[in-house]
Amino acid sequence: MVVKLDKVPFEDALNMTGFSKFNLLMFLLCSSIIVGMGFEVFSVSYLVPASVCELGTSSTQQGLIAGIPLTGVIMTSHFWGYLADTRGRRKILALSMSIGFLAGALAAFSPNWIVLAILKFASSASVSGAFALSLTLLSECTPKAKRSALVILTTSVSLASTGLMAVLSIPILPLKFSYYIPYLNIHLNSWRLLDLIFSLPALFSAIGVACAYESPRYLLSVGKDKEALAVMKGVFVMNHGGNGDDFQVNSVVLNEENAALKAKGIWSSMIAQTIPMMKPPLLKRTLLLSLLFCISFICMNPFLVWVPFIVNAFMSSVVRGEVNMTFCEMITTAKNATLVDVTANCSMNITAMTMVFGISMFLSLVNLVTAGLIGCVGRKTLVIGIQVIGGLSALLVNTTYIWVVSAFLFMIFLLGVINFGLLTTYSVDIFPTYVKAMAVCLTLMVGRGSAVLGINILKRLLDSDCEAAFYIFGSVTLAGGIVGLLLPSDATITQESQKIEEKS
């Protein structure tokens, strides 16, 4: 006969469910959500240059379309975080990904660049909270010992999704088919087909979430103790086999108070959830993480958006044999050549797309190594080291005329994107459950707000003063390493989180 335990702390009960098949399936589900969001937000990197000939967009219009998705993410991520904290992670994720798929698929039938921008805004706004919410769901279903490593692995998935987009673009964009649709007065062609394909992961993830378990931690935070215990029994069965009666827990306690439940109305509820992050003891951490997210996103996200453009220009110079130049001189030379050959505006160099895939896989692989180093080195050391090494690489990228070396330095600079995942694990760990989803969304929102500014600044600098772009962004990245010294150690986070929960 199985001895049943009463009032087991949530973390202890979660550890007793084990770490096996369920956790793998949850990781795969959250990975599909992240891929779906990434495809919607970053699809403009491939669709904007590919649609130039048909839509006749100017450089300014292209910049507007490229920045629109992040604008949608910024404007709505806080709201999605609120809904997830009050209505449930699973339900809101299913809704957001469904809307994201519909808007993303409709964008393939845009008759002009304005409609394309509006629909891309809508699709990105719909999936804006998907990354944060999926990480929240994943962390709340994963035993603490494996939590940080598993959350960081999702960054590898996010990076790999960028490479997958490049792989999909290679065979599809060169296709010459064109089917006229009289009602819309458009031609269904390769870039529109690519957009339809980019929208599919959102559909698949919406179906997957609809079939998944809700977060047991969320259920406990809203007083649904029986439902939470039923979920944990289901997880136990998936990981260990047998039946739910073998689970040794009879009741689970969270020891957290949901302030939002006391508030009436949507706005008062949102305020009730936001205020704890804006006053001690969480204020210091909120400000620090927001600043670090700002630094990381304003430096890295613009380069992720424009990396197909940068690599395309760089590899075009390599193909033409114009290699005895600095990194920026090669980009400028390729840009000038493109102005002469107008048709080049509507094509992407296959070698360049292969390089984008290679860069994405390289970053993804390094991120996997980083996940393994957390226990040995610690998150704080990794964040500081990545910022410093990346910043120095950006400052040195234009100091050599050996194109292989400059390309390598550029890739090292891009390693800064790994800190997206590392910083997210901090957000996941230091906030109570009732504000966790909103906290992750809020800190990410602040970072993405800076990224919109960075996207437009970087594009202008790449066109007018490329060297200054790397000096400016490299210096800010380096400064992020200095700010990282203020981050608490993992031991300090554990101790202070326990104190916060005791006071809740």
Side-chain angles (χ1 to χ4, degrees):
M1 181 177 178
V2 179
V3 178
K4 297 286 186 176
L5 304 175
D6 289 315
K7 296 184 178 180
V8 179
F10 172 76
E11 292 291 352
D12 293 339
L14 189 60
N15 287 334
M16 294 170 69
T17 63
F19 185 85
S20 187
K21 183 171 68 173
F22 167 80
N23 305 96
L24 174 61
L25 291 174
M26 182 58 70
F27 173 74
L28 292 176
L29 173 60
C30 291
S31 296
S32 71
I33 295 170
I34 291 170
V35 170
M37 177 181 177
F39 275 26
E40 284 305 317
V41 175
F42 292 106
S43 60
V44 290
S45 300
Y46 300 88
L47 301 177
V48 168
S51 63
V52 167
C53 288
E54 182 180 357
L55 301 183
T57 51
S58 65
S59 179
T60 301
Q61 292 166 345
Q62 292 172 42
L64 288 173
I65 301 173
I68 274 290
L70 279 179
T71 304
V73 169
I74 294 163
M75 293 179 64
T76 59
S77 58
H78 192 202
F79 180 68
W80 286 115
Y82 157 75
L83 289 178
D85 281 332
T86 56
R87 300 293 185 270
R89 293 34 168 147
R90 172 177 163 270
K91 182 188 299 184
I92 299 306
L93 276 170
L95 175 64
S96 68
M97 299 309 290
S98 298
I99 299 174
F101 162 71
L102 290 173
L106 287 174
F109 303 96
S110 303
N112 53 60
W113 74 271
I114 296 176
V115 175
L116 176 63
I118 291 173
L119 289 172
K120 279 302 173 185
F121 172 85
S123 67
S124 298
S126 300
V127 301
S128 62
F131 184 80
L133 300 189
S134 62
L135 292 189
T136 301
L137 178 62
L138 180 63
S139 68
E140 292 178 347
C141 295
T142 305
K144 192 168 186 177
K146 304 288 185 180
R147 190 173 299 156
S148 291
L150 204 60
V151 169
I152 289 176
L153 287 179
T154 59
T155 303
S156 288
V157 174
S158 179
L159 295 170
S161 68
T162 305
L164 180 58
M165 293 172 75
V167 169
L168 292 171
S169 300
I170 290 173
I172 294 175
L173 284 181
L175 296 176
K176 301 300 182 183
F177 72 91
S178 180
Y179 298 102
Y180 181 64
I181 303 178
Y183 183 75
L184 297 174
N185 193 28
I186 64 171
H187 288 83
L188 182 62
N189 48 32
S190 60
W191 74 265
R192 296 180 186 276
L193 173 62
L194 185 63
D195 182 64
L196 285 172
I197 293 174
F198 282 161
S199 69
L200 291 178
L203 173 62
F204 297 147
S205 59
I207 296 172
V209 172
C211 301
Y213 281 131
E214 177 57 274
S215 160
R217 185 160 191 157
Y218 163 76
L219 292 172
L220 285 172
S221 73
V222 294
K224 298 182 178 180
D225 295 13
K226 292 183 179 180
E227 290 90 333
L229 182 61
V231 168
M232 298 183 87
K233 286 182 178 180
V235 174
F236 176 84
V237 170
M238 290 185 68
N239 284 339
H240 295 280
N243 57 69
D245 293 333
D246 296 329
F247 191 47
Q248 294 178 292
V249 176
N250 194 47
S251 63
V252 186
V253 293
L254 185 58
N255 296 324
E256 284 186 3
E257 180 182 0
N258 193 337
L261 290 179
K262 298 178 180 179
K264 297 181 180 180
I266 182 171
W267 295 113
S268 58
S269 181
M270 289 181 70
I271 292 172
Q273 285 183 286
T274 305
I275 285 178
M277 294 180 286
M278 301 302 173
K279 63 181 183 180
L282 298 179
L283 176 61
K284 180 180 176 181
R285 301 291 170 80
T286 301
L287 293 176
L288 178 59
L289 282 177
S290 296
L291 176 59
L292 284 170
F293 268 115
C294 266
I295 292 172
S296 185
F297 269 85
I298 199 172
C299 293
M300 292 295 109
N301 210 285
F303 279 92
L304 288 181
V305 169
W306 295 117
V307 74
F309 166 81
I310 294 171
V311 175
N312 187 61
F314 181 81
M315 291 309 300
S316 295
S317 291
V318 173
V319 171
R320 289 196 304 270
E322 300 169 339
V323 294
N324 294 320
M325 295 180 285
T326 65
F327 191 86
C328 276
E329 287 173 348
M330 294 174 70
I331 293 176
T332 302
T333 301
K335 181 173 71 83
N336 293 335
T338 298
L339 293 176
V340 176
D341 181 10
V342 183
T343 59
N345 285 323
C346 303
S347 62
M348 299 289 279
N349 186 288
I350 293 179
T351 305
M353 291 300 95
T354 305
M355 284 291 294
V356 171
F357 170 73
I359 291 173
S360 300
M361 293 301 104
F362 169 73
L363 295 176
S364 180
L365 179 62
V366 174
N367 188 73
L368 289 175
V369 175
T370 302
L373 290 175
I374 290 178
C376 303
V377 180
R379 283 183 293 181
K380 180 176 178 177
T381 303
L382 284 173
V383 169
I384 295 172
I386 290 170
Q387 289 291 132
V388 171
I389 293 173
L392 291 174
S393 297
L395 295 175
L396 295 173
V397 74
N398 284 297
T399 60
T400 178
Y401 290 91
I402 303 174
W403 72 272
V404 175
V405 175
S406 61
F408 178 75
L409 288 171
F410 178 65
M411 291 173 64
I412 296 300
F413 169 57
L414 292 179
L415 285 177
V417 302
I418 293 175
N419 275 343
F420 291 176
L422 286 170
L423 292 175
T424 301
T425 63
Y426 274 99
S427 293
V428 166
D429 283 347
I430 68 175
F431 293 102
T433 305
Y434 73 92
V435 296
K436 191 185 298 290
M438 181 177 284
V440 177
C441 285
L442 184 61
T443 50
L444 282 172
M445 180 187 72
V446 173
R448 286 164 178 157
S450 67
V452 174
L453 177 63
I455 287 171
N456 288 281
I457 291 175
L458 178 59
K459 186 61 168 66
R460 290 179 180 274
L461 287 175
L462 289 175
D463 290 338
S464 60
D465 195 344
C466 178
E467 287 81 4
F470 283 92
Y471 291 137
I472 293 172
F473 284 88
S475 298
V476 175
T477 301
L478 192 59
I482 299 174
V483 177
L485 292 171
L486 300 175
L487 283 170
S489 65
D490 291 344
T492 302
I493 290 175
T494 300
Q495 294 173 0
E496 296 197 6
S497 295
Q498 290 174 348
K499 292 180 181 179
I500 291 171
E501 290 189 5
E502 290 173 0
K503 293 179 180 178
S504 299

